């Protein structure tokens, strides 16, 4: 790749954050043990660069009324666990995600969209629907290239503006943008893990390292361990932090990492930090709070840290130096063969990350933070948790205004769906596309809809087989079905480039019915990484009846449509007009493919 990777530039320019941070009471649940209360915990300090002076800065396009935001389901390319990141701002797009760039302009009706210098028609509300199919390139570098450009004839905007280096327009970046525009654009993720963030952390407004004040008045960790004293002289011990994130798109998460500061080592001995993923709920006043449902847990120990820089001289610690480490959270267990196996977490709803354990012996860690640029619409800030040192059950929280902890998610997006209901060119509903009828002798297989002959259509985010010939998708078969054969649709050709179509056809081979059996049936769910299809393949052999099939999930055959809403919607529940009907669409509560 021509794109360079660089070590984080914040090593020698440590920004200072004042300790007169804003309080932000937060309700939280830590397995029912901790109740967070309002507390006046912060002590005034004479440190420069007050948080109140570090607010989000509006980009010029937002100021002049022309700008848009990234698709909700897309994420930014994040830094690696070695502490490097790309010069450019790159969006990672999930196959089958709702890839809609949302027009936030003052007058969206007067704006136009272009992509790769070609004009594109906007939806009725001015948004740009980029497509929602799993159709990435099958050859060459895997990306869509430039992000779209929005213009009102006088002013224009592209997501390139989120890149501070791009805004600086140095000759190096300008030349790169002209010769390799794809490096400043969108990448469709393939079937491999990637480092991703929910906001463009590597091009945000600075990297902040210091915050609450330790007893020695000289060690100020932003998101880490230590103690602080209120104006009334009460001492508090910091024990954790929390961060709410938007809803991801079928995120299969294997680990989370962050670049941290320490005066010696982040974790020593048996010290262990726990990262818990919770659901997010709303309280009586409609405010989002951390819920009680545990979605998964990761852990960081002394075995999960690697030194990547230092010592660096600084006046902000009692030691006079800091070291830079990468700290990784994951869940590992030993299998029957003695090998360490990672236990992933699947996230497909709005969630909160809660890290606890700062108050243990052997912890000396300082997570850094950033301020997302205004226009990203990232509204969540990080809360720090503390308890009165003398009264551990008395806890409180506070936040540093707009500063957000820097965490990188090592993950991929996945999707699979069995096509059960569709619509023909006359908008007539076709049902039971997921049902295969098999003869008693097992020799004949037919789809209940004759147009698909002997197969069921399945949509997958990634190819059925990876580059090594290993299946990306899985299923369980009863003993009487010997095989499930899947044939992927061939690529489509556009401008001499092959694009994967994102679907294929599956059929089954069945044994003959036993002499004492007249009919039998089963359902087969297709499973990806961390998720499975909502609808199954239904196999009916002999005289088995569809109405007798028991579904483990949504019954696509007999769904009651009395409570559904008329119209077309995307996967995020947003209503679409006729011009935006592309990819996977929902109508009357059922999914179908619009081409």
């Amino acid at each position: 790749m021509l794109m360079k990777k660089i070590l984080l530039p914040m090593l020698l320019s440590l920004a200072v954050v004042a300790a007169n941070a804003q309080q932000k009471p937060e309700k939280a649940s830590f397995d029912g043990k901790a109740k967070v209360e309002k507390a006046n915990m912060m002590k005034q300090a004479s440190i420069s660069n007050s948080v109140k002076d570090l607010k989000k800065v509006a980009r010029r396009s937002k100021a002049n009324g022309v700008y848009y935001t990234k698709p909700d389901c897309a994420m930014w390319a994040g830094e690696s666990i070695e502490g490097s990141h790309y010069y450019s701002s790159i969006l990672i797009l999930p196959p089958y995600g709702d890839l809609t760039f949302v027009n936030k302009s003052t007058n969206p009706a007067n704006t136009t969209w272009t992509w790769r210098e070609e004009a594109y028609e906007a939806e009725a509300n001015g948004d740009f629907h980029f497509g929602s199919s799993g159709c990435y390139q099958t050859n060459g570098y895997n990306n869509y290239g430039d992000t779209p450009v929005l213009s009102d004839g006088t002013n224009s905007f592209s997501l390139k503006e989120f890149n501070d280096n791009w805004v600086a327009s140095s000759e190096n970046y300008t030349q790169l943008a002209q010769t390799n525009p794809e490096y400043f654009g969108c990448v469709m993720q393939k079937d491999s893990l990637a480092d991703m963030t929910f906001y463009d952390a590597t091009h945000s407004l600075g990297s902040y390292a210091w915050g609450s004040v330790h007893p020695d008045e000289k060690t100020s960790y932003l998101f880490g361990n230590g103690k602080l004293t209120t104006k009334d002289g009460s001492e508090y011990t910091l024990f954790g932090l929390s961060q709410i994130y938007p809803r991801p798109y079928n995120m299969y998460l294997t680990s989370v990492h962050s670049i941290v500061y320490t005066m010696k080592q982040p974790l020593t001995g048996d010290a262990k930090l726990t990262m818990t993923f919770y659901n997010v709920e709303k309280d009586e006043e409609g405010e989002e709070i951390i819920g009680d449902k545990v979605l998964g847990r990761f852990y960081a120990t002394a075995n999960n840290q690697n030194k990547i820089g230092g010592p660096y001289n600084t006046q902000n610690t009692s030691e006079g130096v800091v070291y830079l480490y990468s700290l990784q959270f994951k869940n590992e267990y030993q299998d029957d063969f003695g090998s360490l196996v990672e236990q992933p977490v699947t996230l497909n709803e709005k969630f909160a990350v809660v890290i606890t354990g700062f108050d243990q012996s052997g912890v000396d860690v300082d997570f850094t933070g950033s301020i997302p640029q205004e226009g990203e619409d990232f509204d969540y800030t990080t809360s720090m948790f503390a308890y009165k040192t003398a009264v551990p059950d008395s806890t409180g929280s506070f936040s540093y205004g707009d500063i957000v902890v820097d965490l990188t998610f090592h993950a991929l997006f996945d999707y699979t769906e069995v096509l059960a209901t569709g619509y023909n060119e006359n908008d007539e509903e076709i049902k039971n596309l997921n049902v295969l009828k098999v003869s008693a002798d097992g020799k004949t297989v037919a789809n209940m809809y004759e147009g698909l002959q002997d197969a069921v259509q399945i949509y997958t985010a990634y190819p059925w087989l990876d580059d090594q010939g290993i299946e990306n998708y899985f299923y369980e078969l009863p003993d009487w079905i010997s095989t499930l054969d899947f044939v992927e649709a061939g690529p489509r050709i556009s401008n001499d480039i092959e694009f994967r179509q994102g679907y294929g056809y599956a059929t089954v081979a069945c044994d003959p019915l036993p002499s004492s059996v007249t009919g039998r049936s089963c359902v087969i769910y297709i499973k990806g990484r961390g998720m499975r299809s909502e609808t199954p393949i239904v196999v009916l052999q002999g005289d088995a009846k569809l109405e007798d099939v028991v579904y483990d999930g949504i019954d696509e055959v007999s769904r009651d449509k009395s409570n559904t809403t008329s119209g077309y919607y995307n996967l995020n529940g947003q209503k679409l007009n006729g011009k935006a009907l592309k990819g996977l669409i929902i109508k009357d509560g059922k999914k179908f493919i619009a081409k």
Side-chain angles (χ1 to χ4, degrees), residues 235-451:
E235 183 184 72
Y236 282 79
T237 299
L238 302 174
F239 70 90
L241 61 81
S242 72
Q243 172 69 60
I244 293 178
Y245 288 98
R247 175 183 178 268
Y249 183 86
N250 291 337
M251 177 188 285
Y252 179 81
L253 180 64
T254 61
S255 64
V256 178
H257 62 263
S258 182
I259 306 302
V260 300
Y261 289 100
T262 179
M263 287 184 285
K264 294 178 181 177
Q265 291 183 18
L267 303 174
T268 56
D270 296 329
K272 177 169 66 175
L273 298 182
T274 300
M275 175 180 288
T276 306
F277 303 93
Y278 288 94
N279 70 313
V280 174
E281 302 172 350
K282 289 188 177 181
D283 61 14
E284 297 81 1
E285 299 177 353
E287 295 291 327
E288 289 185 334
I289 59 173
I290 302 172
D292 295 325
K293 184 170 67 174
V294 175
L295 306 176
R297 281 197 176 92
F298 286 160
Y299 305 93
T301 68
N303 295 326
N304 306 122
Q305 60 189 15
N306 290 291
K307 180 182 174 183
I308 60 176
Y312 301 104
N313 295 326
T314 177
Q315 298 178 352
N316 297 311
T317 68
S318 57
E319 298 289 327
V321 297
V322 292
Y323 297 86
L324 199 63
Y325 274 74
S326 63
L327 188 62
Q328 186 179 43
F329 292 82
K330 56 185 176 180
N331 190 5
E332 292 180 325
Y333 67 94
Q334 214 168 37
D335 64 13
D336 294 338
F337 301 99
S339 301
L340 283 176
V341 179
E342 292 183 351
Q343 180 65 46
V345 172
T346 301
L347 300 171
N348 51 25
E349 61 181 290
K350 185 173 287 189
F351 69 97
V353 167
V354 176
I355 302 177
T356 54
F358 293 167
D359 53 337
Q360 299 173 81
S361 174
V363 176
D364 180 43
V365 64
D366 176 25
F367 290 84
T368 59
S370 299
I371 298 181
Q373 299 183 64
E374 191 171 6
E376 288 201 69
D377 285 358
F378 190 90
D379 297 327
Y380 309 100
T381 57
T382 301
S383 290
M384 282 297 299
F385 295 119
Y387 57 80
K388 252 183 184 178
T389 305
V391 188
D393 291 336
S394 178
T395 59
S397 67
F398 63 91
S399 67
Y400 298 101
D402 293 321
I403 300 180
V404 181
V405 66
D406 290 335
L407 297 178
T408 301
F409 298 81
H410 195 59
L412 58 73
F413 309 109
D414 207 352
Y415 177 83
T416 181
E417 190 56 76
V418 177
L419 185 63
T421 302
Y423 293 83
N424 62 19
E425 297 176 352
N426 299 320
D427 199 30
E428 297 169 336
E429 186 179 61
I430 304 172
K431 296 183 178 181
N432 305 327
L433 297 176
N434 60 326
V435 181
L436 294 175
K437 292 183 66 65
V438 184
S439 60
D441 59 9
K443 295 182 179 180
T444 304
V445 179
N447 188 278
M448 289 192 69
Y449 174 64
E450 296 179 356

Side-chain angles (χ1 to χ4, degrees), residues 61 64-68 101-114 119-128 149-157:
S61 290
N64 62 36
V66 179
Y67 85 108
Y68 63 87
F101 294 89
V102 182
N103 194 335
K104 296 282 189 175
S105 300
T106 303
N107 193 346
N110 290 342
T111 58
T112 57
W113 292 91
T114 57
Y120 279 78
E121 186 174 4
E123 300 178 32
N125 60 359
D127 295 343
F128 175 38
V149 177
L150 183 66
S151 174
D152 65 355
T154 302
N155 303 297
S156 62
F157 173 77

